[in-house]
Coordinates of all heavy atoms in Angstrom, one line a residue:
M1 N 21.7 18.9 3.4 CA 21.4 19.6 2.2 C 20.0 19.9 2.0 O 19.2 19.0 2.2 CB 22.0 19.0 1.0 CG 21.7 19.6 -0.3 SD 22.2 18.7 -1.8 CE 23.8 19.3 -1.9
K2 N 19.6 21.1 1.6 CA 18.2 21.5 1.4 C 18.1 22.0 0.0 O 18.9 22.8 -0.5 CB 17.8 22.6 2.4 CG 16.5 23.2 2.2 CD 16.2 24.2 3.2 CE 15.0 25.0 2.9 NZ 14.8 26.1 3.7
L3 N 17.1 21.5 -0.7 CA 16.7 22.0 -2.1 C 15.4 22.8 -2.0 O 14.6 22.5 -1.2 CB 16.7 20.8 -3.0 CG 17.9 19.9 -3.2 CD1 17.5 18.7 -4.1 CD2 19.0 20.7 -3.8
K4 N 15.2 23.7 -3.0 CA 14.0 24.5 -3.0 C 13.5 24.5 -4.4 O 14.2 24.7 -5.3 CB 14.4 25.9 -2.5 CG 13.3 26.8 -2.3 CD 13.8 28.2 -1.7 CE 12.7 29.2 -1.5 NZ 13.2 30.4 -0.9
L5 N 12.1 24.4 -4.4 CA 11.4 24.5 -5.7 C 10.3 25.5 -5.5 O 9.4 25.3 -4.7 CB 10.9 23.2 -6.1 CG 10.0 23.2 -7.4 CD1 10.7 23.7 -8.6 CD2 9.4 21.8 -7.6
D6 N 10.3 26.6 -6.3 CA 9.2 27.7 -6.2 C 8.4 27.5 -7.5 O 8.9 27.7 -8.6 CB 9.9 29.0 -6.1 CG 8.9 30.1 -5.9 OD1 7.6 29.9 -6.1 OD2 9.2 31.2 -5.4
L7 N 7.1 27.2 -7.3 CA 6.3 27.0 -8.4 C 5.5 28.2 -8.9 O 4.6 28.1 -9.8 CB 5.2 25.8 -8.1 CG 5.9 24.5 -7.8 CD1 4.9 23.5 -7.4 CD2 6.6 24.0 -9.1
H8 N 5.8 29.4 -8.4 CA 5.0 30.6 -8.7 C 5.1 30.9 -10.2 O 4.1 31.3 -10.8 CB 5.6 31.8 -7.9 CG 5.1 31.9 -6.6 ND1 5.9 31.5 -5.5 CD2 3.9 32.2 -6.0 CE1 5.2 31.7 -4.3 NE2 4.0 32.1 -4.7
D9 N 6.2 30.7 -10.9 CA 6.4 31.0 -12.3 C 5.6 30.1 -13.2 O 5.3 30.5 -14.3 CB 7.8 31.0 -12.7 CG 8.6 32.1 -11.9 OD1 7.9 33.1 -11.4 OD2 9.8 32.0 -11.9
I10 N 5.4 28.8 -12.8 CA 4.8 27.9 -13.7 C 3.4 27.3 -13.2 O 3.0 26.3 -13.5 CB 5.7 26.7 -14.0 CG1 6.1 26.0 -12.7 CG2 6.9 27.1 -14.8 CD1 6.9 24.7 -12.9
Y11 N 2.7 28.2 -12.3 CA 1.6 27.6 -11.6 C 0.4 27.2 -12.5 O -0.4 26.4 -12.2 CB 1.0 28.7 -10.7 CG 0.4 29.9 -11.4 CD1 -1.0 30.0 -11.6 CD2 1.2 31.0 -11.8 CE1 -1.5 31.1 -12.2 CE2 0.6 32.0 -12.5 CZ -0.7 32.1 -12.7 OH -1.3 33.1 -13.3
N12 N 0.4 27.7 -13.8 CA -0.7 27.3 -14.7 C -0.3 26.4 -15.9 O -1.0 26.4 -16.8 CB -1.4 28.6 -15.2 CG -0.5 29.5 -16.0 OD1 0.7 29.3 -16.1 ND2 -1.0 30.5 -16.6
K13 N 0.9 25.8 -15.8 CA 1.4 25.0 -16.8 C 1.6 23.6 -16.3 O 2.6 23.2 -15.7 CB 2.8 25.5 -17.4 CG 2.6 26.9 -17.9 CD 4.0 27.4 -18.4 CE 3.9 28.8 -18.9 NZ 4.8 29.7 -18.4
G14 N 0.5 22.7 -16.5 CA 0.5 21.4 -15.9 C 1.7 20.5 -16.1 O 2.3 20.0 -15.2
S15 N 2.1 20.4 -17.4 CA 3.2 19.5 -17.7 C 4.5 20.0 -17.1 O 5.4 19.3 -16.7 CB 3.3 19.3 -19.2 OG 3.6 20.5 -19.8
D16 N 4.7 21.4 -17.0 CA 5.9 22.0 -16.5 C 6.0 21.7 -15.0 O 7.0 21.5 -14.4 CB 5.9 23.5 -16.7 CG 6.3 23.8 -18.2 OD1 6.6 22.8 -19.0 OD2 6.1 25.0 -18.6
I17 N 4.8 21.8 -14.3 CA 4.7 21.5 -12.9 C 5.2 20.1 -12.6 O 6.1 19.8 -11.7 CB 3.3 21.7 -12.3 CG1 3.0 23.2 -12.4 CG2 3.2 21.2 -10.9 CD1 1.5 23.5 -12.2
D18 N 4.6 19.1 -13.3 CA 5.0 17.7 -13.1 C 6.5 17.5 -13.4 O 7.2 16.8 -12.6 CB 4.2 16.8 -14.0 CG 2.7 16.7 -13.5 OD1 2.4 17.1 -12.4 OD2 1.9 16.3 -14.3
R19 N 7.0 18.1 -14.4 CA 8.4 18.0 -14.8 C 9.3 18.6 -13.7 O 10.3 17.9 -13.3 CB 8.7 18.6 -16.2 CG 10.1 18.3 -16.6 CD 10.4 18.9 -18.0 NE 9.3 18.8 -19.0 CZ 8.6 19.9 -19.4 NH1 8.9 21.1 -19.0 NH2 7.6 19.8 -20.3
A20 N 8.9 19.8 -13.2 CA 9.7 20.4 -12.2 C 9.8 19.6 -10.9 O 10.8 19.4 -10.2 CB 9.2 21.8 -11.9
L21 N 8.6 19.0 -10.5 CA 8.5 18.2 -9.3 C 9.4 16.9 -9.5 O 10.1 16.5 -8.6 CB 7.0 17.8 -9.0 CG 6.2 18.9 -8.5 CD1 4.7 18.5 -8.5 CD2 6.5 19.4 -7.1
R22 N 9.3 16.3 -10.7 CA 10.1 15.1 -10.9 C 11.6 15.4 -10.8 O 12.4 14.7 -10.3 CB 9.7 14.5 -12.3 CG 10.4 13.3 -12.7 CD 10.1 12.1 -11.9 NE 8.7 11.7 -12.0 CZ 8.2 10.7 -11.3 NH1 8.9 10.1 -10.4 NH2 6.9 10.5 -11.4
E23 N 12.0 16.5 -11.4 CA 13.4 16.9 -11.5 C 13.9 17.2 -10.1 O 15.0 16.7 -9.7 CB 13.6 18.2 -12.3 CG 13.5 17.8 -13.8 CD 13.5 19.1 -14.7 OE1 13.6 20.2 -14.2 OE2 13.4 18.9 -15.9
I24 N 13.1 17.9 -9.2 CA 13.6 18.2 -7.8 C 13.7 16.9 -7.0 O 14.6 16.7 -6.2 CB 12.7 19.3 -7.2 CG1 13.5 19.9 -6.0 CG2 11.4 18.7 -6.7 CD1 14.6 20.9 -6.3
M25 N 12.8 16.0 -7.2 CA 12.8 14.7 -6.5 C 14.1 13.9 -6.9 O 14.8 13.3 -6.1 CB 11.6 13.9 -6.7 CG 10.3 14.6 -6.1 SD 10.4 14.9 -4.3 CE 10.1 13.2 -3.7
D26 N 14.3 13.9 -8.3 CA 15.5 13.1 -8.8 C 16.8 13.8 -8.3 O 17.7 13.1 -7.9 CB 15.4 13.1 -10.3 CG 14.4 12.3 -10.9 OD1 13.8 11.4 -10.2 OD2 14.0 12.3 -12.1
E27 N 16.8 15.1 -8.2 CA 18.0 15.8 -7.7 C 18.2 15.5 -6.3 O 19.3 15.3 -5.8 CB 17.8 17.3 -8.0 CG 19.1 18.1 -7.6 CD 18.9 19.6 -7.8 OE1 17.9 20.0 -8.4 OE2 19.8 20.3 -7.3
A28 N 17.2 15.5 -5.5 CA 17.2 15.2 -4.0 C 17.8 13.8 -3.8 O 18.7 13.6 -3.0 CB 15.9 15.3 -3.4
V29 N 17.4 12.8 -4.6 CA 17.9 11.5 -4.5 C 19.4 11.4 -4.9 O 20.2 10.8 -4.2 CB 17.0 10.5 -5.3 CG1 17.7 9.1 -5.5 CG2 15.6 10.4 -4.7
A30 N 19.7 12.0 -6.0 CA 21.1 12.0 -6.5 C 22.0 12.7 -5.5 O 23.1 12.2 -5.3 CB 21.1 12.8 -7.9
K31 N 21.6 13.8 -4.9 CA 22.5 14.5 -4.0 C 22.3 14.1 -2.5 O 23.0 14.7 -1.7 CB 22.2 16.0 -4.1 CG 22.7 16.6 -5.5 CD 22.4 18.0 -5.5 CE 22.9 18.6 -6.9 NZ 22.6 20.0 -7.0
K32 N 21.4 13.2 -2.3 CA 21.1 12.7 -1.0 C 20.7 13.8 0.0 O 21.2 14.0 1.1 CB 22.2 11.9 -0.4 CG 22.4 10.5 -1.1 CD 23.1 9.5 -0.1 CE 23.4 8.2 -0.8 NZ 22.3 7.5 -1.4
A33 N 19.8 14.7 -0.6 CA 19.4 15.9 0.2 C 18.4 15.4 1.3 O 17.8 14.4 1.2 CB 18.6 16.8 -0.7
T34 N 18.5 16.1 2.4 CA 17.6 15.7 3.6 C 16.3 16.4 3.5 O 15.3 15.9 4.2 CB 18.4 16.0 4.9 OG1 18.6 17.4 5.0 CG2 19.5 15.2 5.1
L35 N 16.2 17.5 2.8 CA 15.0 18.3 2.8 C 14.8 19.0 1.4 O 15.7 19.5 0.9 CB 15.1 19.3 3.9 CG 13.9 20.3 4.1 CD1 12.7 19.5 4.6 CD2 14.2 21.4 5.0
V36 N 13.5 18.9 0.9 CA 13.1 19.7 -0.2 C 12.0 20.6 0.2 O 11.0 20.1 0.7 CB 12.7 18.7 -1.4 CG1 12.1 19.6 -2.5 CG2 13.9 17.9 -1.9
E37 N 12.2 21.9 0.0 CA 11.1 22.9 0.3 C 10.4 23.1 -1.1 O 11.0 23.5 -2.0 CB 11.7 24.1 0.8 CG 10.8 25.2 1.1 CD 11.4 26.5 1.6 OE1 12.6 26.5 1.8 OE2 10.7 27.5 1.7
I38 N 9.1 22.9 -1.1 CA 8.3 23.1 -2.3 C 7.3 24.3 -1.9 O 6.6 24.3 -1.0 CB 7.5 21.9 -2.8 CG1 8.5 20.8 -3.0 CG2 6.7 22.2 -4.0 CD1 7.8 19.5 -3.4
I39 N 7.3 25.3 -2.8 CA 6.5 26.5 -2.6 C 5.5 26.6 -3.7 O 5.7 27.1 -4.8 CB 7.3 27.8 -2.5 CG1 8.4 27.6 -1.4 CG2 6.4 29.0 -2.3 CD1 9.4 28.7 -1.4
P40 N 4.3 26.0 -3.4 CA 3.2 26.2 -4.4 C 2.5 27.5 -4.3 O 1.7 28.0 -5.2 CB 2.2 25.1 -4.1 CG 2.4 24.8 -2.7 CD 3.9 25.2 -2.4
G41 N 2.7 28.3 -3.2 CA 2.1 29.5 -3.0 C 0.7 29.4 -2.3 O 0.2 28.2 -2.2
K42 N 0.1 30.4 -1.9 CA -1.1 30.3 -1.1 C -2.3 30.2 -2.0 O -3.0 29.2 -2.0 CB -1.3 31.5 -0.2 CG -0.2 31.5 0.9 CD -0.3 32.7 1.8 CE 0.9 32.6 2.8 NZ 1.0 33.7 3.7
G43 N -2.6 31.1 -2.8 CA -3.7 31.1 -3.9 C -4.9 30.3 -3.4 O -5.3 30.4 -2.3
S44 N -5.5 29.6 -4.3 CA -6.8 28.9 -4.0 C -6.5 27.5 -3.4 O -7.5 26.9 -2.9 CB -7.5 28.7 -5.3 OG -6.8 27.7 -6.2
G45 N -5.2 27.1 -3.4 CA -4.9 25.8 -2.8 C -4.9 24.7 -3.9 O -4.6 23.5 -3.5
Q46 N -5.3 24.9 -5.1 CA -5.3 23.9 -6.1 C -3.9 23.4 -6.4 O -3.7 22.2 -6.6 CB -6.0 24.4 -7.4 CG -7.5 24.6 -7.2 CD -8.2 23.4 -6.7 OE1 -8.1 22.3 -7.3 NE2 -8.9 23.6 -5.6
L47 N -3.0 24.3 -6.5 CA -1.6 23.9 -6.8 C -1.0 23.1 -5.7 O -0.4 22.0 -6.0 CB -0.7 25.1 -7.1 CG 0.7 24.8 -7.6 CD1 0.8 23.9 -8.8 CD2 1.4 26.1 -7.9
K48 N -1.3 23.4 -4.5 CA -0.8 22.6 -3.3 C -1.4 21.2 -3.4 O -0.7 20.3 -3.2 CB -1.2 23.4 -2.1 CG -0.7 22.7 -0.8 CD -1.0 23.5 0.5 CE -0.5 22.8 1.7 NZ -0.7 23.6 2.9
K49 N -2.7 21.1 -3.7 CA -3.3 19.8 -3.8 C -2.7 19.0 -4.9 O -2.5 17.8 -4.8 CB -4.8 20.0 -4.1 CG -5.6 20.4 -2.9 CD -7.1 20.6 -3.3 CE -7.9 21.2 -2.1 NZ -9.2 21.6 -2.5
R50 N -2.4 19.7 -6.0 CA -1.7 18.9 -7.2 C -0.4 18.4 -6.7 O 0.0 17.3 -7.1 CB -1.5 19.9 -8.3 CG -1.0 19.2 -9.5 CD -0.8 20.1 -10.7 NE -0.2 19.3 -11.8 CZ -0.7 19.3 -13.0 NH1 -1.8 20.1 -13.3 NH2 -0.2 18.6 -14.0
V51 N 0.4 19.2 -6.0 CA 1.7 18.8 -5.5 C 1.6 17.6 -4.5 O 2.3 16.6 -4.6 CB 2.4 20.0 -4.8 CG1 3.7 19.5 -4.1 CG2 2.8 21.0 -5.8
L52 N 0.6 17.7 -3.7 CA 0.4 16.6 -2.7 C -0.1 15.3 -3.4 O 0.4 14.2 -3.1 CB -0.7 17.0 -1.7 CG -0.2 18.0 -0.6 CD1 -1.4 18.5 0.1 CD2 0.9 17.5 0.2
R53 N -0.9 15.4 -4.5 CA -1.3 14.2 -5.3 C 0.0 13.7 -6.0 O 0.1 12.5 -6.1 CB -2.3 14.7 -6.4 CG -3.7 14.7 -5.8 CD -4.7 14.7 -6.9 NE -4.6 15.7 -7.9 CZ -5.1 17.0 -7.8 NH1 -5.8 17.3 -6.8 NH2 -4.9 17.8 -8.8
F54 N 0.9 14.5 -6.5 CA 2.1 14.0 -7.1 C 2.9 13.3 -6.1 O 3.5 12.2 -6.4 CB 2.9 15.2 -7.6 CG 4.3 14.9 -8.1 CD1 4.5 14.4 -9.4 CD2 5.4 14.9 -7.3 CE1 5.7 14.0 -9.9 CE2 6.6 14.6 -7.7 CZ 6.8 14.1 -9.0
L55 N 3.0 13.8 -4.9 CA 3.9 13.2 -3.8 C 3.2 11.8 -3.3 O 4.0 11.0 -2.9 CB 4.0 14.1 -2.7 CG 4.9 15.4 -3.0 CD1 4.9 16.3 -1.8 CD2 6.3 15.0 -3.3
E56 N 1.9 11.7 -3.5 CA 1.3 10.4 -3.1 C 1.4 9.3 -4.1 O 1.0 8.2 -3.8 CB -0.2 10.7 -2.8 CG -0.4 11.5 -1.5 CD 0.0 10.7 -0.3 OE1 -0.3 9.5 -0.3 OE2 0.6 11.3 0.5
Q57 N 1.9 9.6 -5.3 CA 2.1 8.5 -6.3 C 3.0 7.5 -5.8 O 4.0 7.8 -5.1 CB 2.6 9.1 -7.6 CG 1.7 10.0 -8.3 CD 2.4 10.6 -9.6 OE1 3.2 10.0 -10.3 NE2 2.0 11.9 -9.9
K58 N 2.7 6.2 -6.0 CA 3.4 5.1 -5.4 C 4.9 5.2 -5.7 O 5.8 5.0 -4.8 CB 2.9 3.8 -6.0 CG 3.4 2.6 -5.2 CD 2.7 1.3 -5.7 CE 3.2 0.2 -4.9 NZ 2.5 -1.1 -5.2
D59 N 5.3 5.4 -7.0 CA 6.8 5.5 -7.3 C 7.5 6.7 -6.7 O 8.7 6.7 -6.4 CB 6.9 5.5 -8.8 CG 6.4 6.8 -9.5 OD1 5.2 7.1 -9.1 OD2 7.0 7.3 -10.4
V60 N 6.7 7.8 -6.4 CA 7.4 8.9 -5.8 C 7.4 8.8 -4.3 O 8.4 9.1 -3.6 CB 6.5 10.3 -6.1 CG1 7.1 11.4 -5.4 CG2 6.5 10.4 -7.7
K61 N 6.3 8.2 -3.7 CA 6.2 8.1 -2.3 C 7.4 7.2 -1.7 O 7.8 7.4 -0.6 CB 4.9 7.5 -1.9 CG 4.5 7.6 -0.5 CD 3.1 7.3 -0.2 CE 2.7 7.6 1.2 NZ 1.3 7.6 1.5
Q62 N 7.8 6.3 -2.4 CA 8.9 5.4 -1.9 C 10.2 6.1 -1.8 O 11.2 5.6 -1.2 CB 9.0 4.2 -2.7 CG 9.4 4.4 -4.2 CD 9.3 3.1 -5.0 OE1 8.8 2.1 -4.6 NE2 9.9 3.2 -6.2
L63 N 10.3 7.3 -2.5 CA 11.6 8.1 -2.4 C 11.9 8.8 -1.2 O 13.0 9.0 -0.7 CB 11.7 9.0 -3.6 CG 11.5 8.4 -5.0 CD1 11.5 9.6 -6.1 CD2 12.7 7.5 -5.3
Y64 N 10.8 9.3 -0.5 CA 11.0 10.2 0.6 C 10.5 9.5 1.9 O 9.7 8.5 1.9 CB 10.3 11.5 0.4 CG 8.8 11.5 0.2 CD1 8.0 11.6 1.3 CD2 8.2 11.4 -1.1 CE1 6.6 11.5 1.2 CE2 6.8 11.4 -1.2 CZ 6.1 11.4 -0.1 OH 4.7 11.4 -0.2
H65 N 10.8 10.2 3.0 CA 10.3 9.7 4.4 C 9.0 10.2 4.8 O 8.0 9.5 5.2 CB 11.4 10.1 5.4 CG 11.1 9.8 6.8 ND1 10.8 8.5 7.2 CD2 10.9 10.6 7.9 CE1 10.4 8.6 8.5 NE2 10.6 9.8 8.9
R66 N 8.8 11.6 4.7 CA 7.5 12.2 5.1 C 7.4 13.6 4.5 O 8.3 14.2 4.1 CB 7.4 12.2 6.6 CG 8.3 13.2 7.3 CD 8.2 13.2 8.8 NE 9.2 14.0 9.5 CZ 8.9 15.3 9.8 NH1 7.8 15.8 9.7 NH2 9.9 16.0 10.4
V67 N 6.1 14.1 4.4 CA 5.8 15.4 4.0 C 5.3 16.2 5.1 O 4.4 15.7 5.9 CB 4.7 15.3 2.9 CG1 4.3 16.8 2.5 CG2 5.3 14.6 1.6
E68 N 5.7 17.4 5.3 CA 5.3 18.3 6.4 C 4.7 19.5 5.7 O 5.3 20.2 5.0 CB 6.5 18.6 7.3 CG 6.3 19.6 8.3 CD 7.5 20.1 9.0 OE1 8.6 19.7 8.6 OE2 7.4 20.9 9.9
K69 N 3.5 19.9 6.2 CA 2.9 21.1 5.8 C 3.3 22.1 6.8 O 3.2 22.0 8.0 CB 1.4 21.0 5.8 CG 0.8 20.0 4.8 CD -0.6 19.7 4.9 CE -1.0 18.7 4.0 NZ -2.5 18.2 4.2
D70 N 3.8 23.3 6.3 CA 4.3 24.4 7.2 C 3.2 24.9 7.9 O 2.2 25.5 7.4 CB 5.0 25.4 6.3 CG 5.8 26.4 7.2 OD1 5.4 26.6 8.3 OD2 6.6 27.1 6.6
S71 N 3.2 24.9 9.2 CA 2.1 25.4 10.1 C 2.1 26.9 10.1 O 1.0 27.5 10.4 CB 2.3 24.8 11.5 OG 3.5 25.3 12.0
K72 N 3.1 27.6 9.8 CA 3.2 29.0 9.8 C 2.9 29.6 8.4 O 2.7 30.8 8.3 CB 4.5 29.5 10.3 CG 4.8 29.2 11.8 CD 6.1 29.6 12.3 CE 6.4 29.3 13.7 NZ 6.7 27.9 13.9
N73 N 3.1 28.8 7.4 CA 3.0 29.4 6.0 C 2.2 28.3 5.2 O 2.7 27.3 4.8 CB 4.3 29.6 5.4 CG 4.3 30.2 4.0 OD1 3.2 30.2 3.4 ND2 5.4 30.7 3.5
F74 N 0.9 28.6 4.9 CA 0.0 27.7 4.2 C 0.6 27.3 2.8 O 0.4 26.2 2.3 CB -1.4 28.3 4.0 CG -2.3 27.5 3.2 CD1 -2.9 26.3 3.7 CD2 -2.6 27.8 1.9 CE1 -3.8 25.5 3.0 CE2 -3.5 27.0 1.1 CZ -4.1 25.9 1.7
G75 N 1.4 28.2 2.2 CA 1.9 28.0 0.8 C 3.2 27.3 0.7 O 4.0 27.6 -0.2
R76 N 3.5 26.5 1.7 CA 4.9 25.9 1.7 C 4.8 24.5 2.2 O 4.1 24.2 3.2 CB 5.9 26.7 2.5 CG 7.3 26.1 2.5 CD 8.2 27.2 3.0 NE 7.9 27.5 4.4 CZ 8.7 28.3 5.1 NH1 9.8 28.9 4.6 NH2 8.4 28.6 6.4
L77 N 5.5 23.5 1.6 CA 5.6 22.1 2.0 C 7.0 21.7 2.1 O 7.9 22.2 1.4 CB 5.0 21.2 0.9 CG 3.5 21.4 0.6 CD1 3.1 20.6 -0.7 CD2 2.6 20.9 1.8
F78 N 7.3 20.9 3.1 CA 8.6 20.2 3.2 C 8.5 18.8 3.0 O 7.7 18.1 3.6 CB 9.2 20.5 4.6 CG 9.3 22.0 5.0 CD1 8.5 22.6 5.9 CD2 10.3 22.7 4.4 CE1 8.6 23.9 6.2 CE2 10.5 24.1 4.7 CZ 9.6 24.6 5.6
V79 N 9.5 18.3 2.2 CA 9.6 16.8 1.9 C 10.9 16.4 2.5 O 12.0 16.8 2.2 CB 9.6 16.5 0.4 CG1 9.6 15.0 0.2 CG2 8.4 17.1 -0.3
H80 N 10.7 15.5 3.6 CA 11.9 15.0 4.3 C 12.4 13.7 3.8 O 11.6 12.8 3.5 CB 11.5 14.8 5.8 CG 11.1 16.1 6.5 ND1 12.1 16.9 7.1 CD2 10.0 16.8 6.6 CE1 11.5 18.0 7.6 NE2 10.2 17.9 7.3
F81 N 13.7 13.6 3.7 CA 14.3 12.3 3.2 C 15.1 11.7 4.4 O 15.7 12.5 5.1 CB 15.2 12.6 2.0 CG 14.5 13.0 0.8 CD1 14.1 14.3 0.6 CD2 14.2 12.1 -0.2 CE1 13.4 14.7 -0.5 CE2 13.5 12.5 -1.3 CZ 13.1 13.8 -1.5
R82 N 15.2 10.4 4.4 CA 16.1 9.8 5.4 C 17.0 8.8 4.6 O 16.6 7.9 3.9 CB 15.2 9.0 6.4 CG 16.1 8.3 7.5 CD 15.2 7.4 8.4 NE 14.1 8.1 9.0 CZ 13.1 7.6 9.6 NH1 13.0 6.3 9.7 NH2 12.1 8.3 10.2
W83 N 18.3 9.1 4.7 CA 19.3 8.3 4.1 C 20.1 7.4 5.1 O 20.4 7.8 6.1 CB 20.3 9.1 3.3 CG 19.6 10.0 2.4 CD1 19.4 11.4 2.6 CD2 18.9 9.7 1.2 NE1 18.7 11.9 1.4 CE2 18.3 10.9 0.6 CE3 18.7 8.5 0.5 CZ2 17.6 10.9 -0.6 CZ3 18.0 8.6 -0.7 CH2 17.5 9.7 -1.2
K84 N 20.4 6.2 4.7 CA 21.1 5.3 5.6 C 22.5 5.2 5.2 O 22.9 5.4 4.1 CB 20.4 3.9 5.5 CG 19.0 3.9 6.1 CD 18.4 2.6 6.0 CE 17.0 2.7 6.6 NZ 16.2 1.6 6.3

């Protein structure tokens, strides 16, 4: 199962960004999704950095297996999960 989060609509609303990221991670855990696609967009790269900082938080990092930056699209990240 793959989930998708597009941050284009809330790119300038800090608390909404954090809430959306938290919700998609919680949904991925609840549904045992194998992949979450997060689209911060290309822009200046600040939103992508914010997403990566969120994913590096200790409590969040323990939820997923790895993060992959899309080599063909700078404005997209993949968060991979491994379930046993």
Side-chain angles (χ1 to χ4, degrees):
M1 170 187 276
K2 175 182 168 185
L3 300 175
K4 184 175 180 178
L5 174 62
D6 188 340
L7 295 173
H8 281 105
D9 295 339
I10 57 172
Y11 71 93
N12 61 353
K13 299 179 183 132
S15 61
D16 289 351
I17 292 166
D18 290 343
R19 188 175 324 107
L21 289 167
R22 178 69 61 187
E23 287 172 1
I24 199 77
M25 294 302 282
D26 290 345
E27 183 180 353
V29 169
K31 293 182 177 178
K32 293 203 181 305
T34 56
L35 182 69
V36 172
E37 178 183 352
I38 300 175
I39 304 172
K42 294 180 182 173
S44 68
Q46 292 303 306
L47 184 53
K48 183 176 180 179
K49 286 179 187 172
R50 183 181 183 130
V51 170
L52 290 170
R53 279 195 306 270
F54 173 86
L55 293 171
E56 285 297 316
Q57 293 176 35
K58 191 175 183 179
D59 63 318
V60 176
K61 195 169 186 167
Q62 66 188 9
L63 299 175
Y64 64 87
H65 173 58
R66 68 184 175 96
V67 174
E68 174 189 2
K69 297 174 185 171
D70 189 341
S71 61
K72 295 179 180 73
N73 183 347
F74 176 76
R76 181 164 64 175
L77 299 167
F78 297 108
V79 182
H80 296 269
F81 293 82
R82 185 185 300 167
W83 305 106
K84 294 178 182 167

